[in-house]
Structure formats: C-alpha cells, structure tokens
Short mmCIF file of all heavy atoms in Angstrom, two decimals:
data_model
loop_
_atom_site.label_atom_id
_atom_site.label_comp_id
_atom_site.label_asym_id
_atom_site.label_seq_id
_atom_site.Cartn_x
_atom_site.Cartn_y
_atom_site.Cartn_z
N MET U 263 1.55 -57.19 -30.92
CA MET U 263 0.70 -57.27 -29.75
C MET U 263 0.11 -58.67 -29.66
O MET U 263 -0.04 -59.36 -30.65
CB MET U 263 -0.41 -56.23 -29.87
CG MET U 263 -0.67 -55.54 -28.56
SD MET U 263 -1.98 -54.32 -28.62
CE MET U 263 -1.02 -52.85 -28.83
N GLY U 264 -0.28 -59.07 -28.46
CA GLY U 264 -0.83 -60.40 -28.24
C GLY U 264 -2.32 -60.47 -28.47
O GLY U 264 -2.91 -59.62 -29.13
N TYR U 265 -2.92 -61.49 -27.89
CA TYR U 265 -4.35 -61.71 -28.03
C TYR U 265 -5.03 -61.58 -26.67
O TYR U 265 -4.42 -61.75 -25.63
CB TYR U 265 -4.62 -63.08 -28.63
CG TYR U 265 -4.19 -63.15 -30.08
CD1 TYR U 265 -2.92 -63.55 -30.43
CD2 TYR U 265 -5.06 -62.76 -31.08
CE1 TYR U 265 -2.51 -63.58 -31.75
CE2 TYR U 265 -4.66 -62.77 -32.41
CZ TYR U 265 -3.40 -63.19 -32.74
OH TYR U 265 -3.00 -63.19 -34.04
N CYS U 266 -6.32 -61.30 -26.71
CA CYS U 266 -7.12 -61.12 -25.51
C CYS U 266 -7.13 -62.41 -24.69
O CYS U 266 -7.28 -63.50 -25.25
CB CYS U 266 -8.54 -60.72 -25.90
SG CYS U 266 -9.65 -60.51 -24.50
N VAL U 267 -7.00 -62.29 -23.37
CA VAL U 267 -6.99 -63.48 -22.52
C VAL U 267 -8.37 -64.13 -22.45
O VAL U 267 -8.47 -65.33 -22.24
CB VAL U 267 -6.48 -63.17 -21.09
CG1 VAL U 267 -5.05 -62.74 -21.11
CG2 VAL U 267 -7.35 -62.14 -20.40
N ASN U 268 -9.43 -63.36 -22.64
CA ASN U 268 -10.79 -63.90 -22.59
C ASN U 268 -11.30 -64.32 -23.97
O ASN U 268 -12.22 -65.14 -24.05
CB ASN U 268 -11.75 -62.88 -21.99
CG ASN U 268 -11.38 -62.54 -20.57
OD1 ASN U 268 -10.94 -63.38 -19.80
ND2 ASN U 268 -11.56 -61.28 -20.20
N HIS U 269 -10.76 -63.73 -25.01
CA HIS U 269 -11.18 -64.02 -26.38
C HIS U 269 -9.93 -64.26 -27.23
O HIS U 269 -9.43 -63.34 -27.87
CB HIS U 269 -11.98 -62.85 -26.96
CG HIS U 269 -13.14 -62.46 -26.12
ND1 HIS U 269 -13.12 -61.36 -25.28
CD2 HIS U 269 -14.37 -63.03 -26.00
CE1 HIS U 269 -14.30 -61.28 -24.68
NE2 HIS U 269 -15.07 -62.27 -25.09
N PRO U 270 -9.40 -65.47 -27.25
CA PRO U 270 -8.14 -65.77 -27.94
C PRO U 270 -8.15 -65.50 -29.44
O PRO U 270 -7.10 -65.43 -30.06
CB PRO U 270 -7.90 -67.25 -27.66
CG PRO U 270 -8.88 -67.65 -26.64
CD PRO U 270 -9.94 -66.63 -26.56
N ASP U 271 -9.34 -65.35 -30.02
CA ASP U 271 -9.43 -65.08 -31.45
C ASP U 271 -9.33 -63.59 -31.78
O ASP U 271 -9.26 -63.22 -32.94
CB ASP U 271 -10.74 -65.65 -32.01
CG ASP U 271 -11.96 -65.06 -31.32
OD1 ASP U 271 -11.91 -64.86 -30.09
OD2 ASP U 271 -12.97 -64.82 -32.01
N ARG U 272 -9.29 -62.74 -30.75
CA ARG U 272 -9.22 -61.29 -30.94
C ARG U 272 -7.87 -60.74 -30.48
O ARG U 272 -7.32 -61.18 -29.49
CB ARG U 272 -10.32 -60.59 -30.14
CG ARG U 272 -11.70 -61.02 -30.52
CD ARG U 272 -12.70 -60.28 -29.70
NE ARG U 272 -14.01 -60.90 -29.85
CZ ARG U 272 -15.05 -60.59 -29.11
NH1 ARG U 272 -14.94 -59.69 -28.15
NH2 ARG U 272 -16.20 -61.19 -29.32
N GLU U 273 -7.42 -59.73 -31.20
CA GLU U 273 -6.16 -59.09 -30.82
C GLU U 273 -6.39 -58.17 -29.62
O GLU U 273 -7.40 -57.49 -29.53
CB GLU U 273 -5.62 -58.29 -32.00
CG GLU U 273 -4.18 -57.89 -31.81
CD GLU U 273 -3.53 -57.42 -33.09
OE1 GLU U 273 -3.85 -57.96 -34.15
OE2 GLU U 273 -2.71 -56.51 -32.98
N ALA U 274 -5.44 -58.16 -28.73
CA ALA U 274 -5.53 -57.29 -27.55
C ALA U 274 -5.20 -55.86 -27.94
O ALA U 274 -4.22 -55.60 -28.63
CB ALA U 274 -4.56 -57.77 -26.48
N ASN U 275 -6.04 -54.94 -27.49
CA ASN U 275 -5.81 -53.52 -27.76
C ASN U 275 -4.99 -52.87 -26.66
O ASN U 275 -4.32 -51.87 -26.90
CB ASN U 275 -7.13 -52.80 -27.94
CG ASN U 275 -7.84 -53.24 -29.20
OD1 ASN U 275 -7.20 -53.68 -30.15
ND2 ASN U 275 -9.14 -53.15 -29.20
N VAL U 276 -5.07 -53.42 -25.46
CA VAL U 276 -4.28 -52.93 -24.34
C VAL U 276 -3.62 -54.13 -23.68
O VAL U 276 -4.29 -55.11 -23.36
CB VAL U 276 -5.17 -52.19 -23.31
CG1 VAL U 276 -4.36 -51.77 -22.10
CG2 VAL U 276 -5.83 -50.98 -23.93
N VAL U 277 -2.31 -54.06 -23.49
CA VAL U 277 -1.59 -55.15 -22.83
C VAL U 277 -1.05 -54.68 -21.49
O VAL U 277 -0.82 -53.49 -21.27
CB VAL U 277 -0.42 -55.68 -23.70
CG1 VAL U 277 -0.93 -56.32 -24.96
CG2 VAL U 277 0.56 -54.61 -24.02
N CYS U 278 -0.85 -55.63 -20.62
CA CYS U 278 -0.28 -55.36 -19.30
C CYS U 278 1.19 -54.99 -19.47
O CYS U 278 1.94 -55.68 -20.17
CB CYS U 278 -0.43 -56.61 -18.44
SG CYS U 278 0.30 -56.46 -16.80
N GLN U 279 1.61 -53.91 -18.81
CA GLN U 279 3.01 -53.49 -18.91
C GLN U 279 3.93 -54.46 -18.17
O GLN U 279 5.07 -54.65 -18.55
CB GLN U 279 3.16 -52.08 -18.34
CG GLN U 279 2.48 -51.04 -19.20
CD GLN U 279 2.49 -49.70 -18.50
OE1 GLN U 279 1.91 -49.54 -17.45
NE2 GLN U 279 3.15 -48.74 -19.11
N ARG U 280 3.42 -55.06 -17.11
CA ARG U 280 4.22 -55.98 -16.31
C ARG U 280 4.30 -57.35 -16.97
O ARG U 280 5.32 -58.02 -16.90
CB ARG U 280 3.61 -56.10 -14.92
CG ARG U 280 4.41 -56.93 -13.96
CD ARG U 280 3.84 -56.79 -12.55
NE ARG U 280 4.28 -57.90 -11.76
CZ ARG U 280 3.62 -59.04 -11.61
NH1 ARG U 280 2.45 -59.21 -12.17
NH2 ARG U 280 4.10 -60.00 -10.88
N MET U 281 3.20 -57.78 -17.58
CA MET U 281 3.14 -59.08 -18.25
C MET U 281 2.67 -58.86 -19.69
O MET U 281 1.49 -58.99 -20.00
CB MET U 281 2.16 -60.00 -17.52
CG MET U 281 2.57 -60.32 -16.12
SD MET U 281 1.39 -61.40 -15.28
CE MET U 281 0.03 -60.28 -14.98
N PRO U 282 3.57 -58.48 -20.59
CA PRO U 282 3.18 -58.10 -21.95
C PRO U 282 2.49 -59.19 -22.77
O PRO U 282 1.89 -58.90 -23.79
CB PRO U 282 4.50 -57.72 -22.62
CG PRO U 282 5.48 -57.57 -21.52
CD PRO U 282 4.99 -58.33 -20.35
N SER U 283 2.52 -60.40 -22.32
CA SER U 283 1.84 -61.47 -23.05
C SER U 283 0.34 -61.52 -22.73
O SER U 283 -0.39 -62.29 -23.34
CB SER U 283 2.47 -62.82 -22.73
OG SER U 283 2.31 -63.11 -21.36
N ARG U 284 -0.11 -60.71 -21.79
CA ARG U 284 -1.52 -60.70 -21.39
C ARG U 284 -2.14 -59.36 -21.72
O ARG U 284 -1.55 -58.32 -21.48
CB ARG U 284 -1.63 -60.97 -19.89
CG ARG U 284 -1.02 -62.32 -19.53
CD ARG U 284 -1.20 -62.64 -18.11
NE ARG U 284 -2.51 -63.26 -17.97
CZ ARG U 284 -3.03 -63.62 -16.81
NH1 ARG U 284 -2.38 -63.41 -15.70
NH2 ARG U 284 -4.20 -64.19 -16.75
N GLY U 285 -3.35 -59.39 -22.26
CA GLY U 285 -4.03 -58.16 -22.61
C GLY U 285 -5.52 -58.37 -22.80
O GLY U 285 -6.03 -59.48 -22.64
N TYR U 286 -6.23 -57.29 -23.14
CA TYR U 286 -7.67 -57.31 -23.30
C TYR U 286 -8.08 -56.69 -24.63
O TYR U 286 -7.44 -55.75 -25.11
CB TYR U 286 -8.36 -56.52 -22.19
CG TYR U 286 -8.28 -57.15 -20.82
CD1 TYR U 286 -7.61 -56.52 -19.79
CD2 TYR U 286 -8.92 -58.35 -20.55
CE1 TYR U 286 -7.56 -57.08 -18.52
CE2 TYR U 286 -8.87 -58.92 -19.28
CZ TYR U 286 -8.20 -58.27 -18.28
OH TYR U 286 -8.16 -58.83 -17.03
N CYS U 287 -9.18 -57.19 -25.19
CA CYS U 287 -9.75 -56.62 -26.40
C CYS U 287 -10.69 -55.46 -26.01
O CYS U 287 -10.93 -55.21 -24.82
CB CYS U 287 -10.51 -57.68 -27.19
SG CYS U 287 -11.97 -58.33 -26.34
N ASP U 288 -11.25 -54.78 -27.00
CA ASP U 288 -12.16 -53.65 -26.74
C ASP U 288 -13.38 -54.06 -25.92
O ASP U 288 -13.79 -53.34 -25.01
CB ASP U 288 -12.63 -53.02 -28.05
CG ASP U 288 -11.59 -52.08 -28.64
OD1 ASP U 288 -10.77 -51.54 -27.87
OD2 ASP U 288 -11.62 -51.88 -29.87
N GLU U 289 -13.95 -55.21 -26.23
CA GLU U 289 -15.16 -55.66 -25.53
C GLU U 289 -14.88 -55.84 -24.04
O GLU U 289 -15.66 -55.41 -23.20
CB GLU U 289 -15.67 -56.96 -26.12
CG GLU U 289 -16.94 -57.47 -25.47
CD GLU U 289 -17.43 -58.79 -26.02
OE1 GLU U 289 -17.10 -59.12 -27.18
OE2 GLU U 289 -18.15 -59.48 -25.29
N CYS U 290 -13.77 -56.47 -23.71
CA CYS U 290 -13.42 -56.68 -22.31
C CYS U 290 -13.17 -55.36 -21.59
O CYS U 290 -13.57 -55.17 -20.45
CB CYS U 290 -12.18 -57.57 -22.21
SG CYS U 290 -12.48 -59.27 -22.71
N LEU U 291 -12.50 -54.44 -22.27
CA LEU U 291 -12.23 -53.14 -21.68
C LEU U 291 -13.51 -52.35 -21.44
O LEU U 291 -13.63 -51.65 -20.44
CB LEU U 291 -11.27 -52.34 -22.57
CG LEU U 291 -9.86 -52.92 -22.69
CD1 LEU U 291 -9.09 -52.17 -23.76
CD2 LEU U 291 -9.14 -52.88 -21.37
N GLU U 292 -14.48 -52.47 -22.33
CA GLU U 292 -15.76 -51.80 -22.17
C GLU U 292 -16.51 -52.33 -20.95
O GLU U 292 -17.22 -51.58 -20.27
CB GLU U 292 -16.62 -51.96 -23.41
CG GLU U 292 -16.20 -51.10 -24.57
CD GLU U 292 -16.37 -49.61 -24.29
OE1 GLU U 292 -17.40 -49.22 -23.70
OE2 GLU U 292 -15.45 -48.86 -24.64
N LYS U 293 -16.36 -53.62 -20.68
CA LYS U 293 -17.03 -54.24 -19.53
C LYS U 293 -16.32 -53.93 -18.22
O LYS U 293 -16.86 -54.18 -17.16
CB LYS U 293 -17.12 -55.75 -19.72
CG LYS U 293 -18.05 -56.16 -20.82
CD LYS U 293 -18.07 -57.67 -20.96
CE LYS U 293 -19.00 -58.09 -22.07
NZ LYS U 293 -18.99 -59.56 -22.24
N GLY U 294 -15.09 -53.44 -18.29
CA GLY U 294 -14.33 -53.14 -17.09
C GLY U 294 -13.43 -54.27 -16.67
O GLY U 294 -13.56 -54.82 -15.58
N ALA U 295 -12.53 -54.67 -17.53
CA ALA U 295 -11.61 -55.76 -17.26
C ALA U 295 -10.68 -55.40 -16.09
O ALA U 295 -10.13 -54.31 -16.05
CB ALA U 295 -10.79 -56.07 -18.51
N PRO U 296 -10.50 -56.33 -15.14
CA PRO U 296 -9.67 -56.05 -13.97
C PRO U 296 -8.17 -56.26 -14.23
O PRO U 296 -7.77 -56.88 -15.20
CB PRO U 296 -10.16 -57.07 -12.95
CG PRO U 296 -10.57 -58.23 -13.80
CD PRO U 296 -11.15 -57.63 -15.06
N CYS U 297 -7.40 -55.76 -13.30
CA CYS U 297 -5.95 -56.00 -13.29
C CYS U 297 -5.73 -57.51 -13.16
O CYS U 297 -6.50 -58.21 -12.51
CB CYS U 297 -5.34 -55.27 -12.10
SG CYS U 297 -3.59 -55.59 -11.85
N PHE U 298 -4.68 -58.02 -13.80
CA PHE U 298 -4.43 -59.45 -13.77
C PHE U 298 -4.00 -59.95 -12.39
O PHE U 298 -4.38 -61.02 -11.97
CB PHE U 298 -3.37 -59.83 -14.82
CG PHE U 298 -3.86 -59.66 -16.22
CD1 PHE U 298 -3.41 -58.62 -16.99
CD2 PHE U 298 -4.80 -60.52 -16.75
CE1 PHE U 298 -3.87 -58.45 -18.28
CE2 PHE U 298 -5.27 -60.36 -18.04
CZ PHE U 298 -4.80 -59.32 -18.81
N GLU U 299 -3.17 -59.19 -11.70
CA GLU U 299 -2.71 -59.58 -10.36
C GLU U 299 -2.68 -58.34 -9.45
O GLU U 299 -1.61 -57.79 -9.17
CB GLU U 299 -1.32 -60.22 -10.44
CG GLU U 299 -1.33 -61.56 -11.15
CD GLU U 299 0.04 -62.21 -11.18
OE1 GLU U 299 1.07 -61.51 -11.03
OE2 GLU U 299 0.08 -63.43 -11.34
N PRO U 300 -3.84 -57.90 -8.97
CA PRO U 300 -3.89 -56.67 -8.17
C PRO U 300 -3.19 -56.77 -6.82
O PRO U 300 -2.80 -55.76 -6.26
CB PRO U 300 -5.39 -56.43 -8.00
CG PRO U 300 -6.00 -57.76 -8.14
CD PRO U 300 -5.14 -58.52 -9.13
N GLU U 301 -3.02 -58.00 -6.30
CA GLU U 301 -2.40 -58.15 -4.99
C GLU U 301 -0.88 -58.20 -5.05
O GLU U 301 -0.21 -58.15 -4.04
CB GLU U 301 -2.94 -59.40 -4.27
CG GLU U 301 -2.63 -60.71 -4.96
CD GLU U 301 -3.54 -61.07 -6.12
OE1 GLU U 301 -4.57 -60.43 -6.34
OE2 GLU U 301 -3.18 -62.00 -6.85
N VAL U 302 -0.31 -58.27 -6.24
CA VAL U 302 1.14 -58.35 -6.43
C VAL U 302 1.68 -56.95 -6.74
O VAL U 302 1.06 -56.18 -7.48
CB VAL U 302 1.48 -59.33 -7.59
CG1 VAL U 302 2.96 -59.36 -7.86
CG2 VAL U 302 0.96 -60.70 -7.28
N TYR U 303 2.85 -56.64 -6.18
CA TYR U 303 3.48 -55.34 -6.43
C TYR U 303 3.73 -55.16 -7.93
O TYR U 303 4.17 -56.06 -8.63
CB TYR U 303 4.81 -55.22 -5.69
CG TYR U 303 5.59 -53.99 -6.12
CD1 TYR U 303 5.23 -52.74 -5.66
CD2 TYR U 303 6.64 -54.09 -7.02
CE1 TYR U 303 5.92 -51.61 -6.07
CE2 TYR U 303 7.33 -52.97 -7.44
CZ TYR U 303 6.97 -51.73 -6.96
OH TYR U 303 7.64 -50.62 -7.39
N CYS U 304 3.44 -53.94 -8.42
CA CYS U 304 3.68 -53.62 -9.83
C CYS U 304 4.19 -52.18 -9.91
O CYS U 304 3.51 -51.26 -9.47
CB CYS U 304 2.41 -53.77 -10.64
SG CYS U 304 2.60 -53.32 -12.37
N LYS U 305 5.36 -52.02 -10.48
CA LYS U 305 5.94 -50.68 -10.58
C LYS U 305 5.20 -49.82 -11.60
O LYS U 305 5.36 -48.61 -11.63
CB LYS U 305 7.42 -50.75 -10.90
CG LYS U 305 7.76 -51.25 -12.29
CD LYS U 305 9.26 -51.27 -12.50
CE LYS U 305 9.65 -51.73 -13.88
NZ LYS U 305 11.09 -51.76 -14.06
N TYR U 306 4.37 -50.43 -12.44
CA TYR U 306 3.62 -49.68 -13.45
C TYR U 306 2.22 -49.29 -12.98
O TYR U 306 1.47 -48.66 -13.72
CB TYR U 306 3.47 -50.53 -14.72
CG TYR U 306 4.78 -50.99 -15.29
CD1 TYR U 306 5.19 -52.30 -15.17
CD2 TYR U 306 5.62 -50.10 -15.95
CE1 TYR U 306 6.40 -52.73 -15.70
CE2 TYR U 306 6.83 -50.52 -16.48
CZ TYR U 306 7.21 -51.83 -16.35
OH TYR U 306 8.40 -52.24 -16.86
N ARG U 307 1.85 -49.65 -11.79
CA ARG U 307 0.47 -49.48 -11.30
C ARG U 307 -0.06 -48.05 -11.46
O ARG U 307 -1.19 -47.86 -11.88
CB ARG U 307 0.38 -49.92 -9.85
CG ARG U 307 -1.00 -49.83 -9.31
CD ARG U 307 -1.66 -51.09 -8.84
NE ARG U 307 -0.83 -52.16 -8.42
CZ ARG U 307 -1.06 -53.42 -8.79
NH1 ARG U 307 -2.04 -53.72 -9.57
NH2 ARG U 307 -0.28 -54.39 -8.37
N THR U 308 0.74 -47.04 -11.17
CA THR U 308 0.25 -45.67 -11.24
C THR U 308 0.02 -45.18 -12.66
O THR U 308 -0.72 -44.23 -12.87
CB THR U 308 1.21 -44.70 -10.52
OG1 THR U 308 2.51 -44.81 -11.12
CG2 THR U 308 1.28 -45.00 -9.03
N SER U 309 0.63 -45.84 -13.64
CA SER U 309 0.44 -45.43 -15.03
C SER U 309 -0.26 -46.51 -15.87
O SER U 309 -0.23 -46.46 -17.09
CB SER U 309 1.80 -45.10 -15.66
OG SER U 309 2.63 -46.23 -15.67
N CYS U 310 -0.91 -47.44 -15.20
CA CYS U 310 -1.52 -48.59 -15.87
C CYS U 310 -2.85 -48.22 -16.54
O CYS U 310 -3.77 -47.73 -15.89
CB CYS U 310 -1.75 -49.71 -14.87
SG CYS U 310 -2.50 -51.17 -15.60
N VAL U 311 -2.94 -48.48 -17.82
CA VAL U 311 -4.16 -48.19 -18.58
C VAL U 311 -5.28 -49.13 -18.15
O VAL U 311 -6.43 -48.69 -17.96
CB VAL U 311 -3.91 -48.32 -20.09
CG1 VAL U 311 -5.18 -48.17 -20.88
CG2 VAL U 311 -2.87 -47.32 -20.55
N ILE U 312 -4.98 -50.40 -17.96
CA ILE U 312 -5.99 -51.38 -17.55
C ILE U 312 -6.57 -50.99 -16.19
O ILE U 312 -7.79 -51.00 -16.00
CB ILE U 312 -5.41 -52.80 -17.51
CG1 ILE U 312 -5.03 -53.24 -18.93
CG2 ILE U 312 -6.38 -53.79 -16.88
CD1 ILE U 312 -4.28 -54.56 -19.00
N ARG U 313 -5.73 -50.62 -15.26
CA ARG U 313 -6.19 -50.23 -13.93
C ARG U 313 -7.08 -48.99 -13.99
O ARG U 313 -8.12 -48.93 -13.35
CB ARG U 313 -4.99 -49.96 -13.03
CG ARG U 313 -5.37 -49.52 -11.63
CD ARG U 313 -4.11 -49.31 -10.79
NE ARG U 313 -4.43 -48.80 -9.49
CZ ARG U 313 -4.21 -47.55 -9.12
NH1 ARG U 313 -3.64 -46.69 -9.92
NH2 ARG U 313 -4.54 -47.15 -7.90
N GLU U 314 -6.68 -48.01 -14.78
CA GLU U 314 -7.46 -46.77 -14.88
C GLU U 314 -8.82 -47.01 -15.52
O GLU U 314 -9.83 -46.49 -15.06
CB GLU U 314 -6.68 -45.72 -15.66
CG GLU U 314 -7.28 -44.34 -15.60
CD GLU U 314 -7.48 -43.81 -14.19
OE1 GLU U 314 -6.63 -44.05 -13.32
OE2 GLU U 314 -8.50 -43.13 -13.96
N LEU U 315 -8.87 -47.82 -16.57
CA LEU U 315 -10.15 -48.13 -17.20
C LEU U 315 -11.05 -48.91 -16.25
O LEU U 315 -12.27 -48.71 -16.22
CB LEU U 315 -9.92 -48.91 -18.50
CG LEU U 315 -9.28 -48.12 -19.63
CD1 LEU U 315 -8.93 -49.04 -20.80
CD2 LEU U 315 -10.19 -46.99 -20.10
N ALA U 316 -10.48 -49.81 -15.46
CA ALA U 316 -11.25 -50.57 -14.47
C ALA U 316 -11.79 -49.63 -13.40
O ALA U 316 -12.95 -49.76 -12.98
CB ALA U 316 -10.40 -51.66 -13.85
N ARG U 317 -10.99 -48.68 -12.96
CA ARG U 317 -11.45 -47.72 -11.95
C ARG U 317 -12.61 -46.89 -12.47
O ARG U 317 -13.53 -46.58 -11.72
CB ARG U 317 -10.30 -46.81 -11.53
CG ARG U 317 -9.31 -47.50 -10.62
CD ARG U 317 -8.19 -46.60 -10.19
NE ARG U 317 -8.72 -45.41 -9.56
CZ ARG U 317 -8.05 -44.26 -9.43
NH1 ARG U 317 -6.82 -44.17 -9.88
NH2 ARG U 317 -8.60 -43.23 -8.85
N GLU U 318 -12.59 -46.54 -13.75
CA GLU U 318 -13.69 -45.79 -14.34
C GLU U 318 -14.98 -46.59 -14.33
O GLU U 318 -16.06 -46.03 -14.24
CB GLU U 318 -13.36 -45.39 -15.78
CG GLU U 318 -12.34 -44.30 -15.88
CD GLU U 318 -11.97 -43.96 -17.32
OE1 GLU U 318 -12.61 -44.50 -18.26
OE2 GLU U 318 -11.05 -43.16 -17.50
N LYS U 319 -14.87 -47.91 -14.39
CA LYS U 319 -16.04 -48.80 -14.36
C LYS U 319 -16.42 -49.19 -12.93
O LYS U 319 -17.33 -49.97 -12.72
CB LYS U 319 -15.77 -50.07 -15.17
CG LYS U 319 -15.48 -49.85 -16.61
CD LYS U 319 -16.71 -49.40 -17.36
CE LYS U 319 -16.36 -49.24 -18.82
NZ LYS U 319 -17.43 -48.66 -19.58
N GLY U 320 -15.69 -48.69 -11.94
CA GLY U 320 -16.00 -48.97 -10.55
C GLY U 320 -15.33 -50.20 -9.97
O GLY U 320 -15.70 -50.67 -8.90
N ILE U 321 -14.36 -50.75 -10.69
CA ILE U 321 -13.63 -51.92 -10.20
C ILE U 321 -12.36 -51.43 -9.52
O ILE U 321 -11.52 -50.81 -10.14
CB ILE U 321 -13.28 -52.87 -11.36
CG1 ILE U 321 -14.54 -53.34 -12.06
CG2 ILE U 321 -12.47 -54.05 -10.85
CD1 ILE U 321 -14.27 -54.09 -13.33
N THR U 322 -12.23 -51.71 -8.23
CA THR U 322 -11.04 -51.29 -7.48
C THR U 322 -10.25 -52.52 -7.07
O THR U 322 -10.72 -53.65 -7.18
CB THR U 322 -11.43 -50.51 -6.21
OG1 THR U 322 -12.18 -51.38 -5.37
CG2 THR U 322 -12.26 -49.28 -6.55
N GLU U 323 -9.06 -52.31 -6.55
CA GLU U 323 -8.25 -53.42 -6.07
C GLU U 323 -8.97 -54.15 -4.94
O GLU U 323 -8.88 -55.36 -4.83
CB GLU U 323 -6.88 -52.94 -5.59
CG GLU U 323 -5.92 -52.62 -6.70
CD GLU U 323 -6.10 -51.21 -7.29
OE1 GLU U 323 -6.88 -50.42 -6.73
OE2 GLU U 323 -5.46 -50.92 -8.30
N GLN U 324 -9.70 -53.43 -4.11
CA GLN U 324 -10.42 -54.03 -3.00
C GLN U 324 -11.53 -54.96 -3.51
O GLN U 324 -11.67 -56.08 -3.02
CB GLN U 324 -11.03 -52.96 -2.10
CG GLN U 324 -11.76 -53.50 -0.90
CD GLN U 324 -10.84 -54.26 0.05
OE1 GLN U 324 -9.68 -53.95 0.18
NE2 GLN U 324 -11.37 -55.27 0.71
N THR U 325 -12.30 -54.53 -4.50
CA THR U 325 -13.37 -55.38 -5.03
C THR U 325 -12.79 -56.60 -5.75
O THR U 325 -13.38 -57.68 -5.70
CB THR U 325 -14.30 -54.62 -5.99
OG1 THR U 325 -13.55 -54.08 -7.06
CG2 THR U 325 -15.04 -53.51 -5.28
N GLN U 326 -11.65 -56.43 -6.39
CA GLN U 326 -11.00 -57.57 -7.06
C GLN U 326 -10.52 -58.59 -6.02
O GLN U 326 -10.69 -59.79 -6.20
CB GLN U 326 -9.81 -57.09 -7.88
CG GLN U 326 -10.23 -56.29 -9.09
CD GLN U 326 -9.01 -55.79 -9.84
OE1 GLN U 326 -8.14 -56.59 -10.17
NE2 GLN U 326 -8.95 -54.51 -10.11
N ALA U 327 -9.92 -58.13 -4.94
CA ALA U 327 -9.43 -59.03 -3.91
C ALA U 327 -10.59 -59.76 -3.25
O ALA U 327 -10.49 -60.96 -2.97
CB ALA U 327 -8.64 -58.24 -2.87
N THR U 328 -11.70 -59.08 -3.01
CA THR U 328 -12.87 -59.70 -2.42
C THR U 328 -13.44 -60.77 -3.34
O THR U 328 -13.80 -61.86 -2.91
CB THR U 328 -13.95 -58.64 -2.11
OG1 THR U 328 -13.38 -57.64 -1.28
CG2 THR U 328 -15.15 -59.25 -1.44
N ALA U 329 -13.51 -60.46 -4.63
CA ALA U 329 -14.04 -61.41 -5.61
C ALA U 329 -13.16 -62.66 -5.71
O ALA U 329 -13.64 -63.78 -5.81
CB ALA U 329 -14.17 -60.76 -6.98
N ARG U 330 -11.84 -62.48 -5.65
CA ARG U 330 -10.93 -63.62 -5.72
C ARG U 330 -11.04 -64.49 -4.48
O ARG U 330 -10.95 -65.69 -4.55
CB ARG U 330 -9.49 -63.13 -5.88
CG ARG U 330 -9.21 -62.58 -7.26
CD ARG U 330 -7.74 -62.23 -7.38
NE ARG U 330 -7.48 -61.38 -8.51
CZ ARG U 330 -7.22 -61.84 -9.73
NH1 ARG U 330 -7.19 -63.12 -9.96
NH2 ARG U 330 -6.99 -61.00 -10.73
N ALA U 331 -11.21 -63.86 -3.31
CA ALA U 331 -11.32 -64.62 -2.06
C ALA U 331 -12.61 -65.44 -2.03
O ALA U 331 -12.62 -66.57 -1.55
CB ALA U 331 -11.26 -63.68 -0.87
N ALA U 332 -13.68 -64.89 -2.58
CA ALA U 332 -14.97 -65.58 -2.59
C ALA U 332 -15.02 -66.64 -3.68
O ALA U 332 -15.76 -67.61 -3.56
CB ALA U 332 -16.09 -64.58 -2.80
N GLY U 333 -14.22 -66.44 -4.74
CA GLY U 333 -14.33 -67.23 -5.90
C GLY U 333 -13.82 -68.53 -6.06
O GLY U 333 -14.18 -69.44 -6.62
#
C-alpha cells in the first residue's frame, strides 16, 4: 500500500481504486477526506470506500465541486 497524500510519513489505510497510488491515513479519513477527482467519471464510484466515508461526514460531490471552484 502507498502513503497518505496529506501525510507522506504515514501509510495509507484506504487507497483510491481508480488511482492506487493515492490514499488516506486514518486521521484524514476521520476528518472526512474527499474523493480525489469527483468531477471525473469513475467506474468504482458506487463501491468507493473513500466516497462513502466522505458522505458519512457530510461531504458530497456537490460540496467538493463548489469548494474547488471557489478555491
């Protein structure tokens, strides 16, 4: 497994199925880490662990797109 994109010194506990080189550590997942590219088509979207954990924290594709546009 790879390393967390936000904390390169930590091992990623969950990796993106579409981009296996990118993932998040426990701390990032607890905070509600977003999908890496929510606006791009992904065949794994319906079974994505990162997406589901983000949804539990209230982060949706719409809020991610709004944040990227403002950012």
Side-chain angles (χ1 to χ4, degrees):
M263 221 181 263
Y265 291 91
C266 178
V267 296
N268 298 324
H269 305 101
D271 58 322
R272 300 180 192 170
E273 194 165 324
N275 292 334
V276 176
V277 295
C278 177
Q279 292 172 297
R280 185 170 160 268
M281 296 179 287
S283 63
R284 301 184 86 184
Y286 290 116
C287 65
D288 280 334
E289 182 182 336
C290 291
L291 294 171
E292 285 295 318
K293 291 179 181 178
C297 174
F298 292 107
E299 293 182 338
E301 64 279 349
V302 176
Y303 170 77
C304 177
K305 69 180 182 181
Y306 304 106
R307 183 118 25 224
T308 58
S309 62
C310 180
V311 174
I312 294 173
R313 178 178 176 253
E314 191 56 38
L315 291 172
R317 285 181 55 201
E318 287 177 6
K319 300 289 182 187
I321 301 171
T322 63
E323 283 83 8
Q324 182 64 31
T325 58
Q326 291 177 53
T328 304
R330 288 184 195 272

